Amino acid sequence: MKYKICAILSVIIPIALFIFIMNKKGSLEKNLVINKAVLIESKKISRGARSTVVYRHKLKGYDNYLEGTYSGIAGLFINNKVKEIYRDPPPGTISKDIYWLNPVLKSEKERIAYFYSIFNKHKDTNSSLYIYLHLESEPFNRLSYQADVIQYVLHKQIGRLILFFIMIFNLLLFTGAFVGLQNNKAYIITFFIVFIYHLILVFF
Protein backbone atom coordinates (compact mmCIF):
# COMPACT_ATOMS: atom_id res chain seq x y z
CA MET A 1 0.00 0.00 0.00
CA LYS A 2 2.79 2.42 0.90
CA TYR A 3 4.35 1.87 -2.55
CA LYS A 4 1.12 2.97 -4.20
CA ILE A 5 0.94 6.07 -1.99
CA CYS A 6 4.51 7.04 -2.94
CA ALA A 7 3.74 6.41 -6.61
CA ILE A 8 0.58 8.54 -6.55
CA LEU A 9 2.30 11.41 -4.72
CA SER A 10 5.31 11.27 -7.05
CA VAL A 11 2.99 11.97 -9.99
CA ILE A 12 0.68 14.44 -8.24
CA ILE A 13 3.52 16.69 -7.04
CA PRO A 14 4.91 17.62 -10.51
CA ILE A 15 1.38 18.18 -11.82
CA ALA A 16 0.54 20.41 -8.84
CA LEU A 17 3.85 22.25 -9.28
CA PHE A 18 3.08 22.89 -12.95
CA ILE A 19 -0.36 24.29 -12.08
CA PHE A 20 1.20 26.48 -9.36
CA ILE A 21 3.82 27.83 -11.80
CA MET A 22 1.18 28.62 -14.42
CA ASN A 23 -0.95 30.42 -11.80
CA LYS A 24 2.06 32.48 -10.69
CA LYS A 25 2.85 33.25 -14.34
CA GLY A 26 -0.72 34.37 -14.99
CA SER A 27 -0.71 36.60 -11.90
CA LEU A 28 2.64 38.10 -12.89
CA GLU A 29 1.50 38.95 -16.41
CA LYS A 30 -1.56 40.74 -15.04
CA ASN A 31 0.79 43.01 -13.08
CA LEU A 32 3.22 43.77 -15.88
CA VAL A 33 3.45 47.38 -17.05
CA ILE A 34 5.03 48.22 -20.38
CA ASN A 35 7.54 51.07 -20.40
CA LYS A 36 9.12 53.05 -23.20
CA ALA A 37 12.53 54.68 -22.94
CA VAL A 38 15.70 55.47 -24.86
CA LEU A 39 18.75 53.28 -24.33
CA ILE A 40 22.03 55.08 -23.74
CA GLU A 41 24.11 52.05 -22.79
CA SER A 42 23.92 48.30 -23.39
CA LYS A 43 26.74 45.93 -22.60
CA LYS A 44 27.77 42.59 -21.16
CA ILE A 45 29.80 42.59 -17.95
CA SER A 46 31.32 39.96 -15.70
CA ARG A 47 32.06 40.55 -12.02
CA GLY A 48 34.67 37.82 -11.77
CA ALA A 49 35.93 34.63 -13.35
CA ARG A 50 33.22 32.53 -11.71
CA SER A 51 30.49 35.14 -11.68
CA THR A 52 27.35 35.03 -13.78
CA VAL A 53 27.49 37.26 -16.85
CA VAL A 54 25.29 40.33 -16.40
CA TYR A 55 23.62 42.20 -19.26
CA ARG A 56 23.43 45.84 -18.23
CA HIS A 57 21.29 48.52 -19.84
CA LYS A 58 21.10 52.22 -19.04
CA LEU A 59 17.99 54.20 -19.95
CA LYS A 60 17.67 57.92 -20.48
CA GLY A 61 15.89 59.47 -17.51
CA TYR A 62 16.36 56.43 -15.25
CA ASP A 63 18.74 56.53 -12.29
CA ASN A 64 19.31 52.78 -12.00
CA TYR A 65 20.62 50.29 -14.48
CA LEU A 66 18.47 47.48 -15.79
CA GLU A 67 20.34 44.24 -15.25
CA GLY A 68 19.52 40.75 -16.49
CA THR A 69 21.24 37.39 -16.05
CA TYR A 70 20.59 34.36 -18.21
CA SER A 71 22.77 31.60 -16.79
CA GLY A 72 20.31 28.77 -17.40
CA ILE A 73 18.27 27.24 -20.19
CA ALA A 74 16.23 30.45 -20.58
CA GLY A 75 19.27 32.18 -22.04
CA LEU A 76 18.98 29.98 -25.14
CA PHE A 77 15.61 31.55 -25.94
CA ILE A 78 16.38 35.21 -25.21
CA ASN A 79 17.36 37.08 -28.39
CA ASN A 80 19.81 39.98 -28.59
CA LYS A 81 20.81 40.20 -24.94
CA VAL A 82 23.10 43.12 -25.79
CA LYS A 83 21.21 45.70 -27.82
CA GLU A 84 22.71 47.11 -31.00
CA ILE A 85 22.59 50.79 -30.10
CA TYR A 86 26.09 51.76 -31.24
CA ARG A 87 27.34 52.72 -34.69
CA ASP A 88 29.91 50.48 -36.34
CA PRO A 89 33.49 51.76 -36.44
CA PRO A 90 33.96 54.14 -39.37
CA PRO A 91 36.07 52.99 -42.32
CA GLY A 92 39.77 53.42 -41.70
CA THR A 93 39.53 52.98 -37.92
CA ILE A 94 43.03 52.04 -36.75
CA SER A 95 41.94 50.06 -33.70
CA LYS A 96 38.41 48.74 -33.40
CA ASP A 97 39.14 47.63 -29.83
CA ILE A 98 39.90 51.21 -28.83
CA TYR A 99 36.78 52.43 -30.66
CA TRP A 100 34.53 50.07 -28.72
CA LEU A 101 35.83 51.48 -25.43
CA ASN A 102 33.86 54.63 -26.24
CA PRO A 103 31.57 53.87 -29.21
CA VAL A 104 29.27 56.39 -30.87
CA LEU A 105 25.57 55.95 -30.21
CA LYS A 106 23.03 55.55 -32.99
CA SER A 107 20.28 58.13 -33.36
CA GLU A 108 17.82 58.42 -30.49
CA LYS A 109 15.03 57.06 -32.67
CA GLU A 110 17.02 53.87 -33.28
CA ARG A 111 17.55 53.45 -29.52
CA ILE A 112 13.90 53.54 -28.44
CA ALA A 113 13.20 50.43 -26.37
CA TYR A 114 10.30 48.80 -24.57
CA PHE A 115 10.43 46.69 -21.45
CA TYR A 116 8.04 45.32 -18.85
CA SER A 117 8.24 46.20 -15.19
CA ILE A 118 6.21 44.79 -12.35
CA PHE A 119 3.53 47.01 -10.86
CA ASN A 120 4.89 48.16 -7.51
CA LYS A 121 2.75 49.55 -4.71
CA HIS A 122 5.68 51.76 -3.74
CA LYS A 123 5.75 53.31 -7.23
CA ASP A 124 9.47 52.67 -7.62
CA THR A 125 9.76 53.38 -11.33
CA ASN A 126 13.57 53.16 -11.15
CA SER A 127 13.54 49.51 -10.07
CA SER A 128 16.20 47.45 -11.84
CA LEU A 129 13.80 44.50 -12.16
CA TYR A 130 12.52 44.15 -15.69
CA ILE A 131 11.19 41.59 -18.15
CA TYR A 132 11.84 41.36 -21.88
CA LEU A 133 13.69 44.44 -23.04
CA HIS A 134 13.56 44.93 -26.81
CA LEU A 135 14.21 47.74 -29.25
CA GLU A 136 11.31 49.29 -31.13
CA SER A 137 12.98 48.18 -34.37
CA GLU A 138 13.02 44.55 -33.23
CA PRO A 139 9.95 42.41 -33.91
CA PHE A 140 8.22 41.19 -30.76
CA ASN A 141 9.57 37.71 -30.01
CA ARG A 142 6.91 35.71 -28.16
CA LEU A 143 9.32 32.92 -27.27
CA SER A 144 11.83 35.31 -25.68
CA TYR A 145 9.05 37.04 -23.76
CA GLN A 146 7.65 33.77 -22.42
CA ALA A 147 11.12 32.52 -21.46
CA ASP A 148 11.82 35.76 -19.58
CA VAL A 149 8.49 35.61 -17.73
CA ILE A 150 8.90 31.96 -16.74
CA GLN A 151 12.49 32.56 -15.65
CA TYR A 152 11.32 35.39 -13.41
CA VAL A 153 8.66 33.16 -11.83
CA LEU A 154 11.07 30.28 -11.24
CA HIS A 155 14.02 32.34 -10.00
CA LYS A 156 12.49 35.36 -8.28
CA GLN A 157 9.08 34.18 -7.07
CA ILE A 158 9.76 30.50 -6.28
CA GLY A 159 13.53 30.16 -6.14
CA ARG A 160 15.93 27.57 -7.48
CA LEU A 161 16.65 26.19 -4.01
CA ILE A 162 12.98 25.41 -3.39
CA LEU A 163 12.69 23.80 -6.83
CA PHE A 164 15.78 21.72 -6.04
CA PHE A 165 14.33 20.49 -2.74
CA ILE A 166 11.04 19.62 -4.44
CA MET A 167 13.00 17.59 -6.99
CA ILE A 168 14.88 15.72 -4.23
CA PHE A 169 11.66 15.03 -2.33
CA ASN A 170 10.02 13.69 -5.48
CA LEU A 171 13.03 11.48 -6.18
CA LEU A 172 12.69 10.02 -2.69
CA LEU A 173 9.04 9.25 -3.42
CA PHE A 174 10.02 7.59 -6.68
CA THR A 175 12.66 5.55 -4.85
CA GLY A 176 10.08 4.40 -2.31
CA ALA A 177 7.60 3.48 -5.04
CA PHE A 178 10.25 1.78 -7.18
CA VAL A 179 10.72 -0.98 -4.61
CA GLY A 180 7.23 -2.26 -5.33
CA LEU A 181 6.89 -1.09 -8.95
CA GLN A 182 10.28 -1.96 -10.44
CA ASN A 183 8.66 -4.20 -13.05
CA ASN A 184 6.16 -1.54 -14.13
CA LYS A 185 7.64 -0.11 -17.35
CA ALA A 186 5.06 2.68 -17.55
CA TYR A 187 6.04 3.94 -14.10
CA ILE A 188 9.76 3.77 -14.90
CA ILE A 189 9.18 5.84 -18.06
CA THR A 190 7.13 8.30 -15.99
CA PHE A 191 10.03 8.54 -13.54
CA PHE A 192 12.47 9.60 -16.27
CA ILE A 193 10.03 12.11 -17.75
CA VAL A 194 9.35 13.71 -14.37
CA PHE A 195 13.06 13.73 -13.49
CA ILE A 196 13.90 15.60 -16.73
CA TYR A 197 10.99 17.97 -16.01
CA HIS A 198 12.45 18.80 -12.58
CA LEU A 199 15.91 19.31 -14.03
CA ILE A 200 14.52 21.78 -16.59
CA LEU A 201 12.82 23.77 -13.84
CA VAL A 202 15.94 23.87 -11.67
CA PHE A 203 18.27 24.89 -14.50
CA PHE A 204 15.89 27.11 -16.49
Side-chain angles (χ1 to χ4, degrees):
M1 184 64 180
K2 63 180 180 180
Y3 304 134
K4 290 183 178 180
I5 294 175
C6 287
I8 293 171
L9 288 176
S10 65
V11 174
I12 289 177
I13 287 176
I15 294 174
L17 180 59
F18 177 79
I19 294 172
F20 178 73
I21 291 170
M22 290 298 102
N23 284 336
K24 295 287 285 185
K25 177 179 176 291
S27 297
L28 173 63
E29 290 185 289
K30 289 179 182 178
N31 288 301
L32 290 181
V33 178
I34 192 166
N35 302 271
K36 181 179 180 181
V38 176
L39 279 169
I40 57 176
E41 183 180 308
S42 182
K43 61 183 179 180
K44 180 173 69 174
I45 62 173
S46 178
R47 294 181 176 136
R50 297 184 179 180
S51 299
T52 301
V53 173
V54 177
Y55 296 91
R56 172 181 282 184
H57 313 281
K58 180 69 174 174
L59 300 166
K60 184 178 180 180
Y62 285 72
D63 295 329
N64 293 351
Y65 284 97
L66 298 181
E67 292 187 344
T69 57
Y70 304 101
S71 58
I73 298 172
L76 300 174
F77 303 102
I78 308 296
N79 288 341
N80 304 326
K81 300 179 186 69
V82 177
K83 302 304 175 185
E84 298 179 1
I85 62 171
Y86 304 105
R87 297 186 184 278
D88 292 329
T93 300
I94 297 175
S95 175
K96 292 183 178 180
D97 291 334
I98 294 176
Y99 171 82
W100 287 115
L101 292 175
N102 189 27
V104 178
L105 289 167
K106 292 182 178 180
S107 67
E108 190 167 297
K109 184 178 180 180
E110 294 175 288
R111 292 182 282 116
I112 295 174
Y114 295 93
F115 66 98
Y116 294 91
S117 60
I118 299 154
F119 179 76
N120 193 320
K121 292 181 180 179
H122 299 292
K123 307 292 184 181
D124 183 10
T125 56
N126 291 326
S127 172
S128 61
L129 297 177
Y130 76 97
I131 289 174
Y132 189 52
L133 174 73
H134 66 286
L135 292 172
E136 187 176 51
S137 58
E138 294 175 341
F140 183 84
N141 189 306
R142 192 72 186 175
L143 184 60
S144 293
Y145 166 78
Q146 292 292 341
D148 224 347
V149 171
I150 292 173
Q151 180 184 242
Y152 186 90
V153 171
L154 296 179
H155 292 190
K156 304 294 184 182
Q157 296 187 332
I158 300 176
R160 275 182 170 173
L161 189 60
I162 292 176
L163 292 169
F164 176 77
F165 282 127
I166 292 174
M167 179 180 72
I168 296 300
F169 180 68
N170 216 25
L171 287 176
L172 292 175
L173 290 175
F174 268 113
T175 302
F178 187 74
V179 176
L181 299 172
Q182 54 186 311
N183 295 321
N184 189 320
K185 291 184 179 180
Y187 186 72
I188 293 174
I189 293 172
T190 301
F191 163 76
F192 283 109
I193 293 173
V194 172
F195 180 60
I196 293 171
Y197 161 77
H198 280 296
L199 286 177
I200 291 173
L201 293 182
V202 171
F203 293 104
F204 196 80

